Short mmCIF file of all heavy atoms in Angstrom, two decimals:
data_model
loop_
_atom_site.label_atom_id
_atom_site.label_comp_id
_atom_site.label_asym_id
_atom_site.label_seq_id
_atom_site.Cartn_x
_atom_site.Cartn_y
_atom_site.Cartn_z
N PRO F 23 -4.18 11.47 -5.06
CA PRO F 23 -4.94 10.88 -6.11
C PRO F 23 -4.26 10.74 -7.39
O PRO F 23 -3.43 11.51 -7.77
CB PRO F 23 -6.18 11.81 -6.27
CG PRO F 23 -6.27 12.45 -4.83
CD PRO F 23 -4.85 12.55 -4.47
N TRP F 24 -4.69 9.67 -8.20
CA TRP F 24 -4.07 9.51 -9.60
C TRP F 24 -2.64 9.08 -9.48
O TRP F 24 -1.95 9.17 -10.55
CB TRP F 24 -4.35 10.65 -10.48
CG TRP F 24 -5.83 10.95 -10.67
CD1 TRP F 24 -6.47 12.00 -10.01
CD2 TRP F 24 -6.78 10.22 -11.37
NE1 TRP F 24 -7.81 11.86 -10.40
CE2 TRP F 24 -7.98 10.82 -11.18
CE3 TRP F 24 -6.69 9.00 -12.16
CZ2 TRP F 24 -9.25 10.41 -11.80
CZ3 TRP F 24 -7.82 8.56 -12.77
CH2 TRP F 24 -9.01 9.20 -12.64
N GLY F 25 -2.10 8.67 -8.40
CA GLY F 25 -0.72 8.36 -8.23
C GLY F 25 -0.52 7.00 -8.81
O GLY F 25 -1.43 6.30 -9.24
N ARG F 26 0.76 6.45 -8.66
CA ARG F 26 1.03 5.10 -9.25
C ARG F 26 0.55 4.10 -8.18
O ARG F 26 0.76 4.20 -7.00
CB ARG F 26 2.60 4.94 -9.18
CG ARG F 26 3.14 5.71 -10.35
CD ARG F 26 4.73 5.65 -10.29
NE ARG F 26 5.29 4.46 -9.75
CZ ARG F 26 6.49 4.44 -9.23
NH1 ARG F 26 7.32 5.48 -9.19
NH2 ARG F 26 6.96 3.25 -8.73
N PRO F 27 -0.26 3.16 -8.78
CA PRO F 27 -0.94 2.06 -7.88
C PRO F 27 0.07 1.06 -7.24
O PRO F 27 -0.29 0.32 -6.36
CB PRO F 27 -1.85 1.35 -8.82
CG PRO F 27 -1.38 1.72 -10.19
CD PRO F 27 -0.69 3.01 -10.17
N ASP F 28 1.45 1.16 -7.53
CA ASP F 28 2.46 0.37 -7.02
C ASP F 28 3.15 0.95 -5.87
O ASP F 28 4.00 0.47 -5.17
CB ASP F 28 3.43 -0.09 -8.01
CG ASP F 28 4.24 1.04 -8.61
OD1 ASP F 28 3.69 2.11 -8.73
OD2 ASP F 28 5.36 0.84 -8.89
N MET F 29 2.70 2.24 -5.52
CA MET F 29 3.28 3.03 -4.34
C MET F 29 2.70 2.53 -3.11
O MET F 29 1.42 2.05 -3.01
CB MET F 29 3.19 4.48 -4.56
CG MET F 29 3.99 4.89 -5.85
SD MET F 29 5.78 4.65 -5.63
CE MET F 29 6.16 6.01 -4.62
N ALA F 30 3.27 2.79 -1.96
CA ALA F 30 2.81 2.30 -0.62
C ALA F 30 1.49 2.82 -0.25
O ALA F 30 0.59 2.04 0.15
CB ALA F 30 3.87 2.82 0.47
N LEU F 31 1.13 4.17 -0.45
CA LEU F 31 -0.28 4.69 -0.11
C LEU F 31 -1.37 3.74 -0.85
O LEU F 31 -2.31 3.29 -0.14
CB LEU F 31 -0.41 6.03 -0.37
CG LEU F 31 -1.69 6.71 -0.01
CD1 LEU F 31 -2.01 6.47 1.48
CD2 LEU F 31 -1.72 8.17 -0.30
N PHE F 32 -1.20 3.49 -2.07
CA PHE F 32 -2.20 2.68 -2.80
C PHE F 32 -2.25 1.25 -2.22
O PHE F 32 -3.33 0.65 -1.96
CB PHE F 32 -1.87 2.68 -4.39
CG PHE F 32 -2.47 3.84 -5.05
CD1 PHE F 32 -1.83 4.97 -5.13
CD2 PHE F 32 -3.62 3.51 -5.87
CE1 PHE F 32 -2.43 6.03 -5.97
CE2 PHE F 32 -4.23 4.56 -6.59
CZ PHE F 32 -3.53 5.78 -6.67
N LEU F 33 -0.99 0.65 -2.19
CA LEU F 33 -0.99 -0.79 -1.69
C LEU F 33 -1.48 -0.86 -0.39
O LEU F 33 -2.22 -1.85 -0.02
CB LEU F 33 0.51 -1.21 -1.77
CG LEU F 33 1.11 -1.35 -3.17
CD1 LEU F 33 2.51 -1.76 -3.13
CD2 LEU F 33 0.33 -2.31 -4.07
N PHE F 34 -1.07 0.00 0.56
CA PHE F 34 -1.55 -0.13 1.92
C PHE F 34 -3.10 0.05 1.96
O PHE F 34 -3.74 -0.67 2.77
CB PHE F 34 -0.91 0.92 2.78
CG PHE F 34 0.53 0.66 3.12
CD1 PHE F 34 1.42 1.67 3.72
CD2 PHE F 34 1.16 -0.53 2.69
CE1 PHE F 34 2.66 1.38 4.03
CE2 PHE F 34 2.53 -0.76 2.98
CZ PHE F 34 3.28 0.20 3.66
N THR F 35 -3.61 1.05 1.33
CA THR F 35 -5.09 1.38 1.42
C THR F 35 -5.79 0.08 0.90
O THR F 35 -6.84 -0.38 1.45
CB THR F 35 -5.41 2.53 0.57
OG1 THR F 35 -4.74 3.68 1.14
CG2 THR F 35 -6.83 2.82 0.52
N GLN F 36 -5.43 -0.40 -0.28
CA GLN F 36 -6.02 -1.62 -0.95
C GLN F 36 -5.95 -2.78 0.08
O GLN F 36 -7.02 -3.39 0.33
CB GLN F 36 -5.43 -1.95 -2.14
CG GLN F 36 -5.92 -3.11 -3.01
CD GLN F 36 -5.09 -3.41 -4.26
OE1 GLN F 36 -3.91 -3.30 -4.23
NE2 GLN F 36 -5.78 -3.85 -5.26
N LYS F 37 -4.89 -3.01 0.63
CA LYS F 37 -4.74 -4.26 1.44
C LYS F 37 -5.52 -4.00 2.79
O LYS F 37 -6.09 -4.97 3.28
CB LYS F 37 -3.27 -4.51 1.63
CG LYS F 37 -2.58 -5.13 0.45
CD LYS F 37 -1.24 -5.53 0.72
CE LYS F 37 -0.67 -6.06 -0.63
NZ LYS F 37 0.09 -7.30 -0.40
N ILE F 38 -5.44 -2.84 3.33
CA ILE F 38 -6.23 -2.68 4.69
C ILE F 38 -7.66 -2.86 4.35
O ILE F 38 -8.34 -3.47 5.16
CB ILE F 38 -5.89 -1.20 5.30
CG1 ILE F 38 -4.38 -1.18 5.66
CG2 ILE F 38 -6.73 -0.93 6.39
CD1 ILE F 38 -3.91 0.22 5.97
N LEU F 39 -8.23 -2.32 3.27
CA LEU F 39 -9.73 -2.39 3.00
C LEU F 39 -10.01 -3.89 2.73
O LEU F 39 -11.08 -4.29 3.07
CB LEU F 39 -10.00 -1.55 1.84
CG LEU F 39 -10.08 0.04 2.14
CD1 LEU F 39 -10.25 0.75 0.90
CD2 LEU F 39 -11.17 0.31 3.12
N ALA F 40 -9.07 -4.61 2.17
CA ALA F 40 -9.29 -6.05 1.86
C ALA F 40 -9.08 -7.03 3.08
O ALA F 40 -9.28 -8.12 2.97
CB ALA F 40 -8.48 -6.50 0.69
N GLY F 41 -8.55 -6.35 4.16
CA GLY F 41 -8.31 -7.28 5.35
C GLY F 41 -7.00 -8.01 5.13
O GLY F 41 -6.72 -8.96 5.88
N GLU F 42 -6.14 -7.70 4.25
CA GLU F 42 -4.83 -8.30 3.94
C GLU F 42 -3.68 -7.70 4.65
O GLU F 42 -3.78 -6.48 4.79
CB GLU F 42 -4.55 -8.37 2.50
CG GLU F 42 -5.55 -9.11 1.70
CD GLU F 42 -5.41 -8.95 0.17
OE1 GLU F 42 -4.37 -8.34 -0.31
OE2 GLU F 42 -6.22 -9.30 -0.73
N PRO F 43 -2.63 -8.45 5.04
CA PRO F 43 -1.48 -7.83 5.73
C PRO F 43 -0.59 -6.91 4.83
O PRO F 43 -0.61 -7.13 3.64
CB PRO F 43 -0.68 -9.05 6.17
CG PRO F 43 -1.15 -10.18 5.32
CD PRO F 43 -2.50 -9.86 4.88
N ILE F 44 -0.06 -5.99 5.46
CA ILE F 44 0.92 -5.02 4.69
C ILE F 44 2.34 -5.32 5.10
O ILE F 44 2.48 -5.72 6.28
CB ILE F 44 0.55 -3.60 4.79
CG1 ILE F 44 0.62 -3.10 6.29
CG2 ILE F 44 -0.88 -3.23 4.23
CD1 ILE F 44 0.49 -1.66 6.50
N GLU F 45 3.36 -5.12 4.13
CA GLU F 45 4.79 -5.40 4.53
C GLU F 45 5.26 -4.04 4.96
O GLU F 45 5.09 -3.01 4.24
CB GLU F 45 5.39 -5.84 3.25
CG GLU F 45 4.99 -7.24 2.86
CD GLU F 45 5.94 -7.69 1.67
OE1 GLU F 45 6.29 -6.84 0.81
OE2 GLU F 45 5.98 -8.91 1.51
N VAL F 46 5.89 -4.01 6.17
CA VAL F 46 6.35 -2.82 6.78
C VAL F 46 7.85 -3.00 6.96
O VAL F 46 8.38 -3.66 7.74
CB VAL F 46 5.71 -2.64 8.17
CG1 VAL F 46 6.23 -1.22 8.77
CG2 VAL F 46 4.17 -2.57 8.06
N PHE F 47 8.54 -2.34 5.94
CA PHE F 47 10.07 -2.40 5.84
C PHE F 47 10.84 -1.64 6.98
O PHE F 47 10.17 -0.73 7.43
CB PHE F 47 10.60 -2.18 4.48
CG PHE F 47 10.27 -3.20 3.39
CD1 PHE F 47 9.09 -2.98 2.62
CD2 PHE F 47 10.87 -4.40 3.35
CE1 PHE F 47 8.80 -4.01 1.63
CE2 PHE F 47 10.40 -5.36 2.46
CZ PHE F 47 9.40 -5.14 1.60
N ASN F 48 11.92 -2.11 7.26
CA ASN F 48 12.77 -1.48 8.39
C ASN F 48 12.01 -1.35 9.63
O ASN F 48 12.16 -0.53 10.49
CB ASN F 48 13.28 -0.05 7.97
CG ASN F 48 14.40 0.35 8.78
OD1 ASN F 48 15.20 -0.47 9.30
ND2 ASN F 48 14.61 1.72 9.11
N ASN F 49 11.03 -2.34 9.80
CA ASN F 49 10.26 -2.44 10.96
C ASN F 49 9.44 -1.17 11.23
O ASN F 49 9.06 -0.77 12.43
CB ASN F 49 11.03 -2.81 12.32
CG ASN F 49 11.70 -4.20 12.11
OD1 ASN F 49 10.91 -5.16 11.86
ND2 ASN F 49 12.93 -4.40 12.15
N GLY F 50 9.22 -0.33 10.16
CA GLY F 50 8.36 0.87 10.23
C GLY F 50 9.18 2.06 10.85
O GLY F 50 8.65 3.20 10.89
#
């Protein structure tokens, strides 16, 4: 909580909830 909103956890959570795709570098 209260982390940087540009970090993976924030971005992934936001996009998953919005039904948007996430970028997975190095093929995960």
Side-chain angles (χ1 to χ4, degrees):
W24 301 104
R26 286 176 30 205
D28 63 324
M29 297 296 282
L31 182 55
F32 272 81
L33 295 174
F34 289 170
T35 299
Q36 179 185 36
K37 289 186 178 220
I38 292 170
L39 287 173
E42 299 173 7
I44 61 172
E45 294 181 333
V46 182
F47 290 98
N48 199 29
N49 297 305

